[in-house]
Amino acid sequence: MQLDRLRLQNFRQHADTTLQFGPGLTGIVGPNGAGKTTLLEAIAWAMYGTQAARGTRDTIRRRSAPARSRVEVELDFTLGARRYRIVRSLQSAVFYLDGEAAPIANSAGAVTDQVTRLFGMSRDEFFNTYFTGQKELAFMAAMTAADRARFLSRVLGYERLATVQIGLKEERSALRASLATAETGLIDRETLDQEEQAATVRIAGATRAVAEARAGLELAERLVAERRPVWEEWEKRRETVQAVETDLQIAEHQATEARRAFQELDRDLVEAMAAAAKRDELAPGLAEWDALAAQRDRLDAESLAFAGRRAVQAELKEVKSALANHDQRLARLPDVEQLAAARAKSAATAERVAAATVALEDLQAEWVREKQDAATKRASLLKQHDDLEKQLKRLREVGPTVVCPTCGKPLGKEYDKVLDDLETSLAEVMQEGRFYRHRLDQLTPEPAELSKARSTLEAATADGRADQAAVVRADAGIAERQRVAAERAAAEARAADLEAKLAEVPTSYDETTHKRVRDRLLALEPLRTQVARLAALAERAAALVPKAAEAEQNLSRLEAQVAALKERLVGLGWSAASYDAARDAFHEAERARQTGQVTQVRADGERKAAEEHRAAVARRRAERDARMAEIERLKGEVLFNTELDRAFTDLRDDLNAALRPDLSDAASILLRDLTAGRYSDLEITEDYEPSIVDDGEPKTVLSGGEEDIANLALRLAISQMIADRAGQPFSLLVLDEVFGSLDDERRSAVIDLLRSLADRFPQVILITHIESVRDSFDRAIRIDYDVERGIATAREETPRAGFDSHAAA
């Protein structure tokens, strides 16, 4: 892999930074905190997304960037013969191949998956391969032996075996639980054989029972067939007897009712004839009733008319009192002339208000205009004062060399004259400013004539409100006068009507005669009521005579019908005992048939249940066979899982046993190159600590530089092993602040080593804050940070001599 180009837009400290990479040794130099390591984070974010960046989406955005500004990283790189380009933002990502316009992936997740498949590495594996930093080396050195072994196993991918084994263990637990469930409640084969034999015996017994029940049912049905006609004949005879008995009961009841009706009619006829005789006897006592009733009616009318006269007199008195009140109110209410006078006075007052309003508005407009003019002129003078003071200050600070804004030349000899003119102008402006400030002070309080005009307007307005109220009251009075006049006319007409009624009503009536007539009528009322009742009874006699004859004939007819029905009932030859015997015989045969049917149904049900029992036993046998097959399968899977787990454990032990020797060999080769042959062997102890071997003996004491060199060799060996395992060429090496405690000589040795490894690492990128190594790079990129703007900037500096020849080599 080779990096070609990196562009950052609003990412961390970088507003818009573009870096071009090439083969050879490239140095990224700048002070701490300038944003050098941010470049590595941007590469990781472009390739693997949010999981490879620190913080959140909000912290990725540059602090001083606008809220909705775009955050984007572009990365161009080459892998083998193919060229790739990734563009990732906070919302999206696209992945291009060989400069094609259409992307091969166009979402954040799809781009990350495509990169993972392309390199065959996860984010951690990729950066543990191609990227190495001083902090990581120090981190490894500070680990305990067990932690260092686990770290190496993890970065080399061996821990995946442990993850697989955890999955195998969980799967084995699930398999064992399924096996235990399958074995629980498993039916014994012998039990099934016994149940099947019992079901067969039960079917044979049920079959015999069915045959016996069928024979019994056939016998019962023959008996029913023999006894049914006899029973049906007696049933028909009973129904006929019941019908005749019902008709007889109805006829006897009708004869009884006809006899009672005839007797009642006879009694009513005797009573009507006696009432007629009594009526004729009492009738002469009511001869004076009609004359007395007519005299009472006439006296009742006279009494009502006399009582109404008093009511008319009372109403007439009230109407005359109302007429007097109306006259008093009309005398107090205003007339049309008073209304006209009030309106004329209100109009004159309104003209006064209008004139006072115009005068006040004119005075107030003049006062406001003068104040605004004074304020505007004073503000303009203040601005002129500030401009003149600034010009004077600049002239005095610069002196005669100041450039004229008109001709663009220094003032020189004209300096004093220009200075005097500006001072004179400033004095004039200050004098005018004082005048207008004084003028504003004068105009701040309201003028006396304006206050006087406002008082005049307020007085006229108050008079106008009073005059308008008088007009309103006069209008209301005129309306009230019209209403009262109408009410007086109505009262006057009502008084005339009442006086006419009084003239028609009599002044007295004979109350004594009226009482005597009423008392006589009251005494005759019982006799009149008795005569009326007797007359009503007597009138019924004529109608009762034919009804009584008809009732007697109906009674004779019904009595003959009763005798005929009794004779027919005797002729039917009915016997209740014979009927009961035929009924009991038939019902006995019917019960025998029902019992046979029930017995047959039960026998059929028993046989069917026995057959279903045998079928259920067969199903349970099949289920047991299927479960046995499942148990055998689960046992085989549990055994396979156990053996596979044991194999993975053995593989982990073998890999861990071979890890230290393999790492020692790879690290020794790199150590020899890093130290120019000074040291050729690097052993890894049982505690996974790197140890330099000198003259066949491990060095017990290492300097800081030797320790960094040993850790660097071990780290590069780990990266080489990861790359080999992933099948990727280990062509790119990025080192971030790896010089650590190395002195200048060791730093030069590391750089020379990296140059000598050009065939293995065609592209090396070294990030450092040490300025002294800048001239050792083939290409140098400087990263600076502008504190005021909060922006990191990048620029490429002149490469050292011999860069082109070295790159060509």
Side-chain angles (χ1 to χ4, degrees):
M1 175 184 180
Q2 177 174 308
L3 299 180
D4 298 327
R5 175 177 173 272
L6 176 66
R7 179 173 179 267
L8 290 76
Q9 183 178 357
N10 292 318
F11 188 89
R12 302 292 190 200
Q13 307 99 311
H14 294 268
D16 192 358
T17 299
T18 302
L19 303 179
Q20 296 288 345
F21 300 103
L25 183 59
T26 300
I28 299 177
V29 185
N32 291 330
K36 304 187 300 301
T37 305
T38 300
L39 303 176
L40 303 183
E41 184 181 10
I43 295 172
W45 186 67
M47 297 177 69
Y48 289 95
T50 306
Q51 60 175 326
R54 298 165 294 157
T56 63
R57 291 161 55 97
D58 294 334
T59 59
I60 289 177
R61 187 189 305 275
R62 184 170 56 86
R63 290 183 180 178
S64 56
R68 297 185 179 273
S69 58
R70 185 170 181 80
V71 177
E72 187 175 83
V73 173
E74 297 180 24
L75 175 66
D76 295 357
F77 64 90
T78 303
L79 184 63
R82 312 303 293 270
R83 293 179 295 106
Y84 299 90
R85 179 167 177 259
I86 299 175
V87 181
R88 187 183 293 271
S89 67
L90 291 177
Q91 293 79 23
S92 63
V94 287
F95 194 11
Y96 299 95
L97 173 63
D98 292 335
E100 295 290 338
I104 60 176
N106 58 1
S107 68
V111 170
T112 301
D113 293 341
Q114 190 75 20
V115 169
T116 303
R117 288 194 296 270
L118 178 65
F119 289 100
M121 299 180 182
S122 66
R123 182 262 176 194
D124 292 337
E125 291 171 339
F126 180 83
F127 283 94
N128 284 328
T129 302
Y130 294 103
F131 292 78
T132 299
Q134 180 185 7
K135 294 179 180 179
E136 185 179 348
L137 296 178
F139 172 69
M140 287 179 59
M143 285 182 177
T144 64
D147 291 339
R148 191 179 295 110
R150 281 193 295 271
F151 170 75
L152 293 174
S153 180
R154 184 177 69 255
V155 298
L156 290 172
Y158 298 163
E159 282 301 312
R160 293 182 179 178
L161 297 176
T163 303
V164 172
Q165 285 185 281
I166 292 173
L168 288 173
K169 182 178 179 181
E170 294 175 352
E171 182 181 355
R172 187 162 60 250
S173 298
L175 288 171
R176 286 174 175 168
S178 300
L179 179 60
T181 301
E183 291 176 343
T184 301
L186 187 64
I187 303 174
D188 184 61
R189 183 181 297 275
E190 217 175 286
T191 302
L192 291 175
D193 293 340
Q194 292 174 358
E195 288 189 12
E196 185 174 13
Q197 183 179 0
T200 303
V201 173
R202 183 180 175 189
I203 290 173
T207 302
R208 289 193 300 272
V210 167
E212 293 173 357
R214 185 173 290 112
L217 178 59
E218 290 175 356
L219 176 61
E221 287 179 346
R222 285 196 300 272
L223 288 175
V224 169
E226 292 174 359
R227 297 175 181 177
R228 183 185 299 277
V230 178
W231 161 245
E232 289 178 351
E233 176 63 26
W234 277 103
E235 185 70 17
K236 290 179 181 179
R237 188 177 298 180
R238 185 180 71 87
E239 291 175 357
T240 303
V241 169
Q242 288 178 345
V244 172
E245 287 178 345
T246 301
D247 293 341
L248 178 59
Q249 291 176 357
I250 293 172
E252 289 177 343
H253 177 70
Q254 288 177 346
T256 301
E257 290 297 318
R259 188 177 294 105
R260 183 185 59 77
F262 173 73
Q263 293 173 353
E264 288 181 356
L265 284 172
D266 187 59
R267 285 195 301 270
D268 291 343
L269 180 60
V270 172
E271 184 179 355
M273 294 177 68
K278 186 66 175 178
R279 178 197 61 189
D280 295 340
E281 180 184 352
L282 297 176
L286 295 174
E288 59 178 334
W289 175 269
D290 292 338
L292 290 173
Q295 187 179 6
R296 180 198 59 189
D297 294 340
R298 179 179 58 77
L299 290 173
D300 285 343
E302 291 179 359
S303 174
L304 290 173
F306 185 76
R309 180 181 182 85
R310 287 195 293 269
V312 172
Q313 288 176 340
E315 185 179 357
L316 179 61
K317 182 178 180 181
E318 291 179 358
V319 171
K320 289 182 178 180
S321 176
L323 284 172
N325 291 333
H326 290 329
D327 292 338
Q328 293 177 1
R329 292 179 64 188
L330 288 173
R332 291 195 299 269
L333 292 172
D335 54 15
V336 176
E337 290 78 7
Q338 292 174 336
L339 174 61
R343 287 178 175 172
K345 184 178 179 183
S346 177
T349 306
E351 292 178 357
R352 284 173 51 208
V353 171
T357 301
V358 171
L360 176 63
E361 290 177 349
D362 292 342
L363 290 173
Q364 188 166 13
E366 179 65 22
W367 176 50
V368 171
R369 184 170 56 254
E370 289 183 0
K371 284 206 309 182
Q372 289 178 345
D373 290 344
T376 301
K377 291 180 179 179
R378 187 170 184 273
S380 177
L381 290 171
L382 287 173
K383 185 175 183 305
Q384 293 180 33
H385 178 272
D386 294 340
D387 293 342
L388 291 172
E389 277 194 339
K390 289 179 181 178
Q391 294 179 28
L392 282 171
K393 181 178 179 182
R394 184 169 177 273
L395 284 174
R396 289 166 179 159
E397 289 176 350
V398 178
T401 60
V402 69
V403 178
C404 175
T406 303
C407 62
K409 298 179 180 180
L411 291 178
K413 295 179 180 180
E414 297 295 326
Y415 173 75
D416 293 334
K417 181 177 181 304
V418 172
L419 192 64
D420 290 340
D421 290 343
L422 288 176
E423 290 176 346
T424 301
S425 298
L426 181 61
E428 291 174 354
V429 168
M430 292 176 65
Q431 183 176 359
E432 289 188 21
R434 286 192 291 273
F435 169 76
Y436 281 108
R437 183 180 62 187
H438 178 66
R439 180 59 177 160
L440 282 174
D441 293 340
Q442 291 177 338
L443 291 173
T444 298
E446 186 178 80
E449 57 183 357
L450 179 60
S451 301
K452 182 178 179 182
R454 181 174 287 105
S455 299
T456 302
L457 175 61
E458 291 174 354
T461 302
D463 293 342
R465 285 196 294 268
D467 292 345
Q468 186 63 32
V471 170
V472 171
R473 288 195 299 272
D475 282 335
I478 293 299
E480 179 69 11
R481 170 179 283 277
Q482 293 173 353
R483 184 182 64 78
V484 172
E487 291 178 356
R488 187 185 183 288
E492 191 172 7
R494 178 60 178 163
D497 291 341
L498 292 174
E499 288 176 349
K501 285 183 179 181
L502 284 176
E504 297 174 358
V505 175
T507 57
S508 64
Y509 88 104
D510 190 353
E511 185 176 0
T512 303
T513 302
H514 191 189
K515 183 177 183 305
R516 178 179 57 79
V517 171
R518 282 188 299 186
D519 291 343
R520 180 56 182 163
L521 288 173
L522 185 61
L524 292 174
E525 183 65 31
L527 178 61
R528 184 172 181 273
T529 302
Q530 184 180 5
V531 170
R533 182 178 63 78
L534 293 172
L537 290 175
E539 290 175 358
R540 294 179 61 196
L544 289 175
V545 171
K547 288 182 179 180
E550 182 182 356
E552 185 177 8
Q553 293 175 2
N554 186 42
L555 176 60
S556 299
R557 180 180 59 80
L558 291 173
E559 288 177 345
Q561 184 179 357
V562 169
L565 288 172
K566 288 181 178 179
E567 184 179 354
R568 183 185 176 190
L569 187 60
V570 172
L572 288 174
W574 166 256
S575 172
S578 299
Y579 172 83
D580 293 339
R583 180 192 61 194
D584 294 342
F586 175 75
H587 286 173
E588 181 181 0
E590 186 69 24
R591 283 195 295 273
R593 184 179 66 173
Q594 292 176 354
T595 302
Q597 289 174 342
V598 171
T599 302
Q600 184 176 359
V601 169
R602 288 177 178 174
D604 288 338
E606 173 63 17
R607 182 174 61 182
K608 185 177 180 180
E611 291 173 349
E612 290 179 353
H613 183 197
R614 186 166 62 182
V617 171
R619 288 194 299 271
R620 291 164 64 193
R621 187 186 301 279
E623 291 174 359
R624 182 185 185 282
D625 294 341
R627 188 182 292 188
M628 285 299 299
E630 177 67 11
I631 289 171
E632 293 301 323
R633 185 188 67 79
L634 291 173
K635 287 181 178 179
E637 289 191 10
V638 170
L639 180 61
F640 174 76
N641 184 290
T642 304
E643 293 299 325
L644 185 59
D645 187 17
R646 185 179 297 111
F648 277 130
T649 300
D650 295 342
L651 178 59
R652 288 179 61 194
D653 294 341
D654 294 342
L655 290 174
N656 287 329
L659 174 61
R660 287 193 297 111
D662 290 344
L663 278 178
S664 295
D665 294 342
S668 296
I669 295 172
L670 292 169
L671 178 65
R672 182 168 55 251
D673 294 336
L674 284 170
T675 59
R678 171 69 180 85
Y679 301 115
S680 60
D681 292 324
L682 181 67
E683 289 186 354
I684 299 177
T685 67
E686 292 182 356
D687 293 335
Y688 285 91
E689 293 181 356
S691 175
I692 295 176
V693 178
D694 187 15
D695 293 334
E697 294 292 333
K699 292 190 68 174
T700 56
V701 179
L702 297 178
S703 65
E706 290 173 336
E707 185 176 1
D708 283 347
I709 290 294
N711 284 326
L712 178 59
L714 175 59
R715 185 63 185 84
L716 294 177
I718 294 171
S719 299
Q720 182 67 60
M721 292 182 71
I722 296 174
D724 292 343
R725 179 173 53 80
Q728 295 289 352
F730 191 24
S731 57
L732 168 66
L733 183 61
V734 181
L735 304 175
D736 183 15
E737 299 288 3
V738 297
F739 289 125
S741 61
L742 299 181
D743 54 20
D744 291 340
E745 182 179 357
R746 290 293 184 188
R747 293 169 187 163
S748 299
V750 171
I751 292 176
D752 291 341
L753 167 66
L754 296 176
R755 289 190 182 284
S756 67
L757 299 179
D759 57 339
R760 188 179 304 174
F761 305 124
Q763 186 180 49
V764 178
I765 299 174
L766 233 166
I767 298 176
T768 182
H769 68 281
I770 299 175
E771 293 287 342
S772 61
V773 299
R774 181 177 58 84
D775 294 334
S776 303
F777 301 132
D778 298 327
R779 175 186 288 107
I781 299 174
R782 174 167 294 280
I783 304 295
D784 292 316
Y785 183 71
D786 188 337
V787 178
E788 293 184 358
R789 294 191 301 157
I791 295 176
T793 59
R795 69 178 187 277
E796 185 171 347
E797 297 186 339
T798 304
R800 72 177 184 86
F803 166 71
D804 293 338
S805 59
H806 174 74

PDB file of all heavy atoms in Angstrom, residues 211-225 592-593 596-597 600:
ATOM      1  N   ALA A 211     -71.722 -56.824  18.114  1.00  0.00           N
ATOM      2  CA  ALA A 211     -72.602 -57.846  17.518  1.00  0.00           C
ATOM      3  C   ALA A 211     -73.782 -58.142  18.431  1.00  0.00           C
ATOM      4  O   ALA A 211     -74.942 -58.258  17.980  1.00  0.00           O
ATOM      5  CB  ALA A 211     -71.789 -59.118  17.251  1.00  0.00           C
ATOM      6  N   GLU A 212     -73.499 -58.262  19.727  1.00  0.00           N
ATOM      7  CA  GLU A 212     -74.578 -58.559  20.676  1.00  0.00           C
ATOM      8  C   GLU A 212     -75.576 -57.403  20.743  1.00  0.00           C
ATOM      9  O   GLU A 212     -76.796 -57.616  20.776  1.00  0.00           O
ATOM     10  CB  GLU A 212     -73.984 -58.829  22.056  1.00  0.00           C
ATOM     11  CG  GLU A 212     -73.143 -60.112  22.116  1.00  0.00           C
ATOM     12  CD  GLU A 212     -72.439 -60.267  23.453  1.00  0.00           C
ATOM     13  OE1 GLU A 212     -72.585 -59.333  24.287  1.00  0.00           O
ATOM     14  OE2 GLU A 212     -71.749 -61.290  23.659  1.00  0.00           O
ATOM     15  N   ALA A 213     -75.083 -56.173  20.732  1.00  0.00           N
ATOM     16  CA  ALA A 213     -75.984 -55.028  20.802  1.00  0.00           C
ATOM     17  C   ALA A 213     -76.838 -54.930  19.554  1.00  0.00           C
ATOM     18  O   ALA A 213     -78.037 -54.573  19.611  1.00  0.00           O
ATOM     19  CB  ALA A 213     -75.149 -53.742  20.964  1.00  0.00           C
ATOM     20  N   ARG A 214     -76.289 -55.263  18.394  1.00  0.00           N
ATOM     21  CA  ARG A 214     -77.062 -55.202  17.148  1.00  0.00           C
ATOM     22  C   ARG A 214     -78.220 -56.228  17.182  1.00  0.00           C
ATOM     23  O   ARG A 214     -79.339 -55.940  16.741  1.00  0.00           O
ATOM     24  CB  ARG A 214     -76.134 -55.454  15.965  1.00  0.00           C
ATOM     25  CG  ARG A 214     -76.840 -55.286  14.619  1.00  0.00           C
ATOM     26  CD  ARG A 214     -75.864 -55.375  13.452  1.00  0.00           C
ATOM     27  NE  ARG A 214     -74.995 -54.212  13.424  1.00  0.00           N
ATOM     28  CZ  ARG A 214     -73.690 -54.262  13.684  1.00  0.00           C
ATOM     29  NH1 ARG A 214     -73.124 -55.423  13.997  1.00  0.00           N
ATOM     30  NH2 ARG A 214     -72.941 -53.181  13.636  1.00  0.00           N
ATOM     31  N   ALA A 215     -77.965 -57.469  17.704  1.00  0.00           N
ATOM     32  CA  ALA A 215     -79.023 -58.503  17.777  1.00  0.00           C
ATOM     33  C   ALA A 215     -80.141 -58.044  18.717  1.00  0.00           C
ATOM     34  O   ALA A 215     -81.337 -58.204  18.422  1.00  0.00           O
ATOM     35  CB  ALA A 215     -78.415 -59.817  18.257  1.00  0.00           C
ATOM     36  N   GLY A 216     -79.781 -57.510  19.902  1.00  0.00           N
ATOM     37  CA  GLY A 216     -80.795 -57.033  20.843  1.00  0.00           C
ATOM     38  C   GLY A 216     -81.624 -55.905  20.241  1.00  0.00           C
ATOM     39  O   GLY A 216     -82.851 -55.827  20.450  1.00  0.00           O
ATOM     40  N   LEU A 217     -80.991 -55.020  19.479  1.00  0.00           N
ATOM     41  CA  LEU A 217     -81.708 -53.902  18.867  1.00  0.00           C
ATOM     42  C   LEU A 217     -82.708 -54.402  17.818  1.00  0.00           C
ATOM     43  O   LEU A 217     -83.844 -53.900  17.731  1.00  0.00           O
ATOM     44  CB  LEU A 217     -80.710 -52.949  18.221  1.00  0.00           C
ATOM     45  CG  LEU A 217     -81.311 -51.741  17.498  1.00  0.00           C
ATOM     46  CD1 LEU A 217     -82.141 -50.893  18.466  1.00  0.00           C
ATOM     47  CD2 LEU A 217     -80.193 -50.873  16.867  1.00  0.00           C
ATOM     48  N   GLU A 218     -82.349 -55.417  17.041  1.00  0.00           N
ATOM     49  CA  GLU A 218     -83.271 -55.952  16.025  1.00  0.00           C
ATOM     50  C   GLU A 218     -84.509 -56.562  16.672  1.00  0.00           C
ATOM     51  O   GLU A 218     -85.642 -56.355  16.192  1.00  0.00           O
ATOM     52  CB  GLU A 218     -82.540 -57.003  15.190  1.00  0.00           C
ATOM     53  CG  GLU A 218     -81.456 -56.403  14.275  1.00  0.00           C
ATOM     54  CD  GLU A 218     -80.660 -57.487  13.560  1.00  0.00           C
ATOM     55  OE1 GLU A 218     -80.903 -58.683  13.841  1.00  0.00           O
ATOM     56  OE2 GLU A 218     -79.788 -57.134  12.730  1.00  0.00           O
ATOM     57  N   LEU A 219     -84.366 -57.291  17.808  1.00  0.00           N
ATOM     58  CA  LEU A 219     -85.504 -57.857  18.520  1.00  0.00           C
ATOM     59  C   LEU A 219     -86.441 -56.772  19.040  1.00  0.00           C
ATOM     60  O   LEU A 219     -87.680 -56.857  18.918  1.00  0.00           O
ATOM     61  CB  LEU A 219     -85.000 -58.732  19.677  1.00  0.00           C
ATOM     62  CG  LEU A 219     -86.081 -59.339  20.592  1.00  0.00           C
ATOM     63  CD1 LEU A 219     -87.023 -60.265  19.772  1.00  0.00           C
ATOM     64  CD2 LEU A 219     -85.439 -60.121  21.729  1.00  0.00           C
ATOM     65  N   ALA A 220     -85.855 -55.714  19.612  1.00  0.00           N
ATOM     66  CA  ALA A 220     -86.662 -54.612  20.151  1.00  0.00           C
ATOM     67  C   ALA A 220     -87.417 -53.902  19.039  1.00  0.00           C
ATOM     68  O   ALA A 220     -88.591 -53.514  19.208  1.00  0.00           O
ATOM     69  CB  ALA A 220     -85.757 -53.624  20.885  1.00  0.00           C
ATOM     70  N   GLU A 221     -86.837 -53.734  17.885  1.00  0.00           N
ATOM     71  CA  GLU A 221     -87.520 -53.063  16.777  1.00  0.00           C
ATOM     72  C   GLU A 221     -88.700 -53.901  16.267  1.00  0.00           C
ATOM     73  O   GLU A 221     -89.737 -53.346  15.853  1.00  0.00           O
ATOM     74  CB  GLU A 221     -86.524 -52.806  15.648  1.00  0.00           C
ATOM     75  CG  GLU A 221     -85.536 -51.662  15.991  1.00  0.00           C
ATOM     76  CD  GLU A 221     -84.544 -51.432  14.888  1.00  0.00           C
ATOM     77  OE1 GLU A 221     -84.425 -52.302  13.988  1.00  0.00           O
ATOM     78  OE2 GLU A 221     -83.872 -50.368  14.913  1.00  0.00           O
ATOM     79  N   ARG A 222     -88.632 -55.284  16.287  1.00  0.00           N
ATOM     80  CA  ARG A 222     -89.767 -56.129  15.882  1.00  0.00           C
ATOM     81  C   ARG A 222     -90.943 -55.953  16.845  1.00  0.00           C
ATOM     82  O   ARG A 222     -92.107 -55.850  16.428  1.00  0.00           O
ATOM     83  CB  ARG A 222     -89.329 -57.593  15.828  1.00  0.00           C
ATOM     84  CG  ARG A 222     -88.478 -57.921  14.598  1.00  0.00           C
ATOM     85  CD  ARG A 222     -88.415 -59.440  14.377  1.00  0.00           C
ATOM     86  NE  ARG A 222     -87.841 -60.144  15.515  1.00  0.00           N
ATOM     87  CZ  ARG A 222     -86.529 -60.364  15.670  1.00  0.00           C
ATOM     88  NH1 ARG A 222     -85.667 -59.930  14.758  1.00  0.00           N
ATOM     89  NH2 ARG A 222     -86.083 -61.037  16.726  1.00  0.00           N
ATOM     90  N   LEU A 223     -90.638 -55.892  18.162  1.00  0.00           N
ATOM     91  CA  LEU A 223     -91.708 -55.682  19.145  1.00  0.00           C
ATOM     92  C   LEU A 223     -92.395 -54.339  18.944  1.00  0.00           C
ATOM     93  O   LEU A 223     -93.628 -54.224  19.048  1.00  0.00           O
ATOM     94  CB  LEU A 223     -91.130 -55.788  20.571  1.00  0.00           C
ATOM     95  CG  LEU A 223     -90.744 -57.199  21.047  1.00  0.00           C
ATOM     96  CD1 LEU A 223     -90.076 -57.135  22.406  1.00  0.00           C
ATOM     97  CD2 LEU A 223     -91.979 -58.118  21.103  1.00  0.00           C
ATOM     98  N   VAL A 224     -91.589 -53.299  18.679  1.00  0.00           N
ATOM     99  CA  VAL A 224     -92.163 -51.974  18.449  1.00  0.00           C
ATOM    100  C   VAL A 224     -93.092 -52.011  17.248  1.00  0.00           C
ATOM    101  O   VAL A 224     -94.195 -51.431  17.250  1.00  0.00           O
ATOM    102  CB  VAL A 224     -91.027 -50.945  18.271  1.00  0.00           C
ATOM    103  CG1 VAL A 224     -91.596 -49.613  17.772  1.00  0.00           C
ATOM    104  CG2 VAL A 224     -90.278 -50.729  19.578  1.00  0.00           C
ATOM    105  N   ALA A 225     -92.671 -52.691  16.189  1.00  0.00           N
ATOM    106  CA  ALA A 225     -93.494 -52.770  14.968  1.00  0.00           C
ATOM    107  C   ALA A 225     -94.813 -53.491  15.221  1.00  0.00           C
ATOM    108  O   ALA A 225     -95.862 -53.137  14.646  1.00  0.00           O
ATOM    109  CB  ALA A 225     -92.703 -53.464  13.855  1.00  0.00           C
ATOM    110  N   ALA A 592     -87.063 -50.660  25.197  1.00  0.00           N
ATOM    111  CA  ALA A 592     -86.125 -51.732  24.859  1.00  0.00           C
ATOM    112  C   ALA A 592     -85.324 -51.376  23.612  1.00  0.00           C
ATOM    113  O   ALA A 592     -84.116 -51.606  23.525  1.00  0.00           O
ATOM    114  CB  ALA A 592     -86.889 -53.037  24.660  1.00  0.00           C
ATOM    115  N   ARG A 593     -86.010 -50.748  22.610  1.00  0.00           N
ATOM    116  CA  ARG A 593     -85.293 -50.360  21.403  1.00  0.00           C
ATOM    117  C   ARG A 593     -84.261 -49.252  21.707  1.00  0.00           C
ATOM    118  O   ARG A 593     -83.127 -49.267  21.223  1.00  0.00           O
ATOM    119  CB  ARG A 593     -86.292 -49.858  20.355  1.00  0.00           C
ATOM    120  CG  ARG A 593     -85.607 -49.528  19.015  1.00  0.00           C
ATOM    121  CD  ARG A 593     -86.582 -49.052  17.996  1.00  0.00           C
ATOM    122  NE  ARG A 593     -87.171 -47.764  18.388  1.00  0.00           N
ATOM    123  CZ  ARG A 593     -87.977 -47.055  17.586  1.00  0.00           C
ATOM    124  NH1 ARG A 593     -88.305 -47.530  16.398  1.00  0.00           N
ATOM    125  NH2 ARG A 593     -88.474 -45.913  18.010  1.00  0.00           N
ATOM    126  N   GLY A 596     -81.319 -50.694  23.306  1.00  0.00           N
ATOM    127  CA  GLY A 596     -80.487 -51.379  22.318  1.00  0.00           C
ATOM    128  C   GLY A 596     -79.658 -50.406  21.507  1.00  0.00           C
ATOM    129  O   GLY A 596     -78.479 -50.648  21.205  1.00  0.00           O
ATOM    130  N   GLN A 597     -80.258 -49.247  21.141  1.00  0.00           N
ATOM    131  CA  GLN A 597     -79.516 -48.243  20.372  1.00  0.00           C
ATOM    132  C   GLN A 597     -78.346 -47.691  21.195  1.00  0.00           C
ATOM    133  O   GLN A 597     -77.231 -47.526  20.683  1.00  0.00           O
ATOM    134  CB  GLN A 597     -80.459 -47.119  19.961  1.00  0.00           C
ATOM    135  CG  GLN A 597     -81.469 -47.524  18.902  1.00  0.00           C
ATOM    136  CD  GLN A 597     -82.475 -46.418  18.618  1.00  0.00           C
ATOM    137  OE1 GLN A 597     -82.621 -45.498  19.420  1.00  0.00           O
ATOM    138  NE2 GLN A 597     -83.189 -46.541  17.491  1.00  0.00           N
ATOM    139  N   GLN A 600     -75.643 -50.246  21.428  1.00  0.00           N
ATOM    140  CA  GLN A 600     -74.877 -50.351  20.191  1.00  0.00           C
ATOM    141  C   GLN A 600     -73.931 -49.154  20.018  1.00  0.00           C
ATOM    142  O   GLN A 600     -72.781 -49.318  19.621  1.00  0.00           O
ATOM    143  CB  GLN A 600     -75.822 -50.430  18.988  1.00  0.00           C
ATOM    144  CG  GLN A 600     -75.079 -50.636  17.660  1.00  0.00           C
ATOM    145  CD  GLN A 600     -76.026 -50.807  16.497  1.00  0.00           C
ATOM    146  OE1 GLN A 600     -77.231 -50.796  16.690  1.00  0.00           O
ATOM    147  NE2 GLN A 600     -75.493 -50.984  15.314  1.00  0.00           N
TER     148      GLN A 600
END
